[in-house]
Coordinates of all heavy atoms in Angstrom, one line a residue:
I490 N -11.5 17.7 -10.5 CA -11.3 18.9 -9.8 C -12.7 19.4 -9.2 O -13.6 19.6 -10.0 CB -10.7 20.0 -10.7 CG1 -9.4 19.5 -11.3 CG2 -10.5 21.3 -10.0 CD1 -8.3 19.1 -10.3
L491 N -12.8 19.5 -7.9 CA -14.0 20.0 -7.3 C -14.1 21.5 -7.3 O -15.2 22.0 -7.7 CB -14.0 19.5 -5.8 CG -14.5 18.1 -5.5 CD1 -14.4 17.9 -4.0 CD2 -15.8 17.8 -6.0
A492 N -13.1 22.2 -7.0 CA -13.1 23.6 -6.8 C -11.8 24.2 -6.9 O -10.8 23.6 -6.8 CB -13.8 24.0 -5.5
E493 N -11.7 25.5 -7.2 CA -10.5 26.3 -7.1 C -10.6 27.1 -5.8 O -11.5 27.8 -5.5 CB -10.4 27.3 -8.3 CG -10.1 26.6 -9.6 CD -10.0 27.5 -10.7 OE1 -10.5 28.7 -10.6 OE2 -9.6 27.1 -11.8
I494 N -9.5 26.9 -4.9 CA -9.5 27.5 -3.6 C -8.4 28.5 -3.5 O -7.2 28.1 -3.8 CB -9.4 26.4 -2.5 CG1 -10.6 25.5 -2.6 CG2 -9.2 27.0 -1.1 CD1 -10.6 24.3 -1.6
E495 N -8.7 29.7 -3.1 CA -7.7 30.7 -2.9 C -7.1 30.6 -1.5 O -7.8 30.8 -0.5 CB -8.3 32.1 -3.1 CG -7.4 33.3 -3.0 CD -8.0 34.6 -3.2 OE1 -9.1 34.6 -3.9 OE2 -7.5 35.6 -2.7
T496 N -5.8 30.4 -1.4 CA -5.1 30.3 -0.1 C -4.4 31.6 0.2 O -4.6 32.6 -0.5 CB -4.1 29.1 -0.1 OG1 -3.0 29.5 -0.9 CG2 -4.7 27.9 -0.7
D497 N -3.6 31.6 1.2 CA -2.8 32.8 1.5 C -1.7 33.0 0.6 O -1.0 34.0 0.6 CB -2.3 32.7 3.0 CG -1.4 31.5 3.2 OD1 -1.6 30.5 2.5 OD2 -0.6 31.5 4.1
K498 N -1.4 32.1 -0.3 CA -0.3 32.2 -1.3 C -0.7 32.1 -2.7 O 0.0 32.7 -3.5 CB 0.7 31.0 -1.0 CG 1.3 31.1 0.4 CD 2.3 30.0 0.7 CE 2.9 30.2 2.1 NZ 3.7 29.0 2.5
A499 N -1.7 31.4 -3.1 CA -2.1 31.2 -4.5 C -3.5 30.6 -4.6 O -4.1 30.2 -3.6 CB -1.1 30.3 -5.2
T500 N -4.0 30.6 -5.8 CA -5.3 30.0 -6.1 C -5.0 28.6 -6.6 O -4.3 28.5 -7.7 CB -6.1 30.8 -7.0 OG1 -6.4 32.1 -6.4 CG2 -7.4 30.1 -7.3
M501 N -5.4 27.5 -6.0 CA -5.0 26.2 -6.3 C -6.2 25.3 -6.6 O -7.3 25.5 -6.0 CB -4.2 25.6 -5.2 CG -3.0 26.4 -4.8 SD -2.1 25.8 -3.3 CE -1.3 24.4 -4.0
E502 N -6.1 24.3 -7.5 CA -7.1 23.4 -7.8 C -7.2 22.3 -6.7 O -6.2 21.8 -6.3 CB -6.9 22.8 -9.2 CG -7.0 23.8 -10.3 CD -6.8 23.1 -11.7 OE1 -6.1 22.0 -11.7 OE2 -7.2 23.6 -12.7
F503 N -8.4 22.0 -6.3 CA -8.6 21.0 -5.2 C -9.3 19.8 -5.8 O -10.5 19.9 -6.3 CB -9.4 21.6 -4.0 CG -9.7 20.6 -3.0 CD1 -8.7 19.8 -2.4 CD2 -11.0 20.3 -2.6 CE1 -9.0 18.9 -1.4 CE2 -11.3 19.4 -1.6 CZ -10.3 18.7 -1.0
E504 N -8.7 18.7 -5.9 CA -9.3 17.5 -6.5 C -9.9 16.6 -5.5 O -9.5 16.6 -4.3 CB -8.2 16.7 -7.3 CG -7.1 16.1 -6.5 CD -6.1 15.3 -7.5 OE1 -5.6 16.0 -8.4 OE2 -6.0 14.1 -7.3
S505 N -10.9 15.8 -5.9 CA -11.6 14.9 -5.0 C -10.8 13.6 -4.9 O -10.2 13.0 -5.9 CB -13.0 14.6 -5.6 OG -13.6 13.6 -4.9
F506 N -10.8 13.1 -3.7 CA -10.1 11.8 -3.4 C -11.2 10.7 -3.2 O -10.9 9.6 -2.8 CB -9.3 11.8 -2.1 CG -8.1 12.8 -2.3 CD1 -8.2 14.1 -1.8 CD2 -7.0 12.4 -3.0 CE1 -7.1 15.0 -1.9 CE2 -5.9 13.3 -3.1 CZ -6.0 14.6 -2.6
N507 N -12.5 11.1 -3.5 CA -13.6 10.1 -3.4 C -14.4 10.2 -4.6 O -14.3 11.1 -5.5 CB -14.4 10.5 -2.2 CG -13.6 10.6 -0.9 OD1 -13.2 9.6 -0.3 ND2 -13.3 11.9 -0.5
E508 N -15.3 9.2 -4.8 CA -16.2 9.3 -5.9 C -17.7 9.0 -5.5 O -17.9 8.5 -4.4 CB -15.8 8.2 -7.0 CG -15.8 6.8 -6.5 CD -15.3 5.8 -7.6 OE1 -14.6 6.3 -8.5 OE2 -15.8 4.7 -7.6
G509 N -18.6 9.6 -6.2 CA -20.0 9.5 -5.9 C -20.8 10.7 -6.5 O -20.4 11.1 -7.5
T510 N -21.8 11.1 -5.8 CA -22.6 12.3 -6.2 C -22.3 13.4 -5.2 O -22.3 13.2 -4.0 CB -24.1 11.9 -6.3 OG1 -24.2 10.9 -7.2 CG2 -24.9 13.1 -6.7
L511 N -22.2 14.7 -5.7 CA -22.0 15.8 -4.9 C -23.4 16.1 -4.3 O -24.3 16.6 -5.0 CB -21.5 17.0 -5.7 CG -21.2 18.3 -4.8 CD1 -20.2 18.0 -3.7 CD2 -20.6 19.4 -5.8
L512 N -23.6 15.9 -3.0 CA -24.9 16.0 -2.3 C -25.0 17.4 -1.6 O -26.2 17.8 -1.4 CB -25.0 14.9 -1.3 CG -24.9 13.5 -1.8 CD1 -25.0 12.5 -0.6 CD2 -26.0 13.2 -2.8
H513 N -23.9 18.0 -1.3 CA -24.1 19.3 -0.5 C -22.8 20.1 -0.7 O -21.7 19.6 -0.8 CB -24.2 18.9 1.0 CG -24.2 20.1 1.9 ND1 -25.3 20.9 2.1 CD2 -23.2 20.6 2.7 CE1 -25.0 21.9 2.9 NE2 -23.7 21.7 3.3
I514 N -23.0 21.4 -0.8 CA -21.9 22.4 -0.8 C -22.0 23.3 0.4 O -23.1 23.9 0.6 CB -22.0 23.3 -2.1 CG1 -21.6 22.4 -3.3 CG2 -21.0 24.5 -2.0 CD1 -21.6 23.2 -4.6
G515 N -21.0 23.2 1.2 CA -21.0 23.9 2.5 C -20.5 25.3 2.5 O -20.8 26.2 3.3
I516 N -19.6 25.6 1.5 CA -19.0 27.0 1.4 C -19.2 27.5 0.0 O -18.7 26.9 -1.0 CB -17.5 26.9 1.7 CG1 -17.3 26.3 3.1 CG2 -16.9 28.3 1.7 CD1 -15.8 26.0 3.4
Q517 N -20.0 28.5 -0.2 CA -20.3 29.0 -1.5 C -19.1 29.8 -2.1 O -18.2 30.2 -1.4 CB -21.5 30.0 -1.4 CG -22.8 29.3 -0.8 CD -23.2 28.1 -1.6 OE1 -23.2 28.1 -2.9 NE2 -23.6 27.0 -1.0
E518 N -19.2 30.0 -3.4 CA -18.2 30.8 -4.1 C -18.1 32.2 -3.5 O -19.0 32.8 -3.3 CB -18.5 30.9 -5.6 CG -18.4 29.6 -6.4 CD -18.6 29.8 -7.9 OE1 -18.8 31.0 -8.3 OE2 -18.5 28.8 -8.7
G519 N -16.8 32.6 -3.3 CA -16.5 33.9 -2.7 C -16.5 33.9 -1.2 O -16.1 34.9 -0.6
E520 N -16.9 32.8 -0.6 CA -17.0 32.8 0.9 C -15.6 32.2 1.4 O -15.0 31.4 0.8 CB -18.1 31.9 1.4 CG -19.5 32.5 1.1 CD -20.6 31.7 1.8 OE1 -20.3 30.6 2.3 OE2 -21.8 32.1 1.7

């Protein structure tokens, strides 16, 4: 699970379909 993402309907867990090292986060928490 990479992050919990709040949509227009619910807050859902978003899982990674790839493996490796997390090199960059483009959207910070709360954004």
